[in-house]
Amino acid sequence: MRSRARRKPDYRRRHRYGAVAGCAFAIAGLSALATPVARHLKAVGPMNVGHETLACTDCHRRAPGSLRQQLQANLRFAMGQRTVPASMGRLPIGNGACLSCHDRPEDRHPVFRFMEPRFADARRARSPHLCNGCHLEHQGVRVTATSDFCEACHLELDIPGDRLDVTHATLVDRGQWSSCLGCHDYHGSHQIEASTSFEAAITNGQIVEYLNGGASPYPGRRSSDVRASLAASTSGGQR
């Protein structure tokens, strides 16, 4: 009985030391994760092509208000005193985060256009009204949509005076939707002219490689479509 009584304080002391050491390791680990060097460990996947130098805070922006104010706002929402809930911690990623850098005044397919009632089916099928409908981040590619996404809006495509040697109507009848990007640049980011020869078009294999992050197969000069704020953020500035 005496030997057990003598060992008991040592047993408790070892547990206290272990608890202190565990807390110290946990704090050190959390502190290390908070450093910019470890940001890739917190990401859900690799940055998409062209975004490798962005900081997490360039897209994941802090929600307005303190934690207390955010909790109060959500309590008011739960009580019916507020029409929308408040964001907690960080703002959700929406079109605004993308368009703050990617400014295309001459965009052939701006996201706002797809809010028209006639595109309701396309919104359900492909989400073209959302930037991340085609450019879902943390996938390590340039475009996450498949190369046949034109089908969502162009099922009826009869062009008067069609100059293509294989008419667009014929391609629609054949279901060759993956061939569209062989002549047409979706956003108009490259200064090119559509080919009149179907055989001269860029192949689907080249398009898929480009969407996955490869070099551009389009022959025309690339338009300037990224604002100076992106250059500022990549050099360490804040937006």
Side-chain angles (χ1 to χ4, degrees), residues 104-119:
R104 294 184 174 93
E106 303 299 327
D107 194 338
R108 294 173 183 171
H109 293 89
V111 288
F112 63 81
R113 176 180 296 170
F114 295 100
M115 295 308 298
E116 298 177 17
R118 60 187 173 128
F119 294 121

Side-chain angles (χ1 to χ4, degrees), residues 38 48 76 80 94 107 155 179 188 236:
N48 283 7
R76 292 180 58 199
D107 194 338
L155 281 172
S179 67

Side-chain angles (χ1 to χ4, degrees), residues 51-87:
H51 292 172
E52 298 90 346
T53 57
L54 291 179
C56 298
T57 51
D58 287 328
C59 296
H60 298 279
R61 297 166 186 173
R62 192 177 298 279
S66 64
L67 177 61
R68 176 183 60 80
Q69 292 171 324
Q70 293 166 2
L71 289 171
Q72 287 177 335
N74 283 317
L75 180 60
R76 292 180 58 199
F77 172 74
M79 297 172 62
Q81 299 176 358
R82 180 185 169 100
T83 56
V84 293
S87 297

Side-chain angles (χ1 to χ4, degrees), residues 45 59 75 80 82 85 95 110 121 127 131 138 157 181 200-201 221-222:
C59 296
L75 180 60
R82 180 185 169 100
N95 289 347
D121 290 340
S127 299
C131 295
H138 294 297
L157 192 62
L181 295 180
R221 184 175 62 85
R222 184 174 175 83

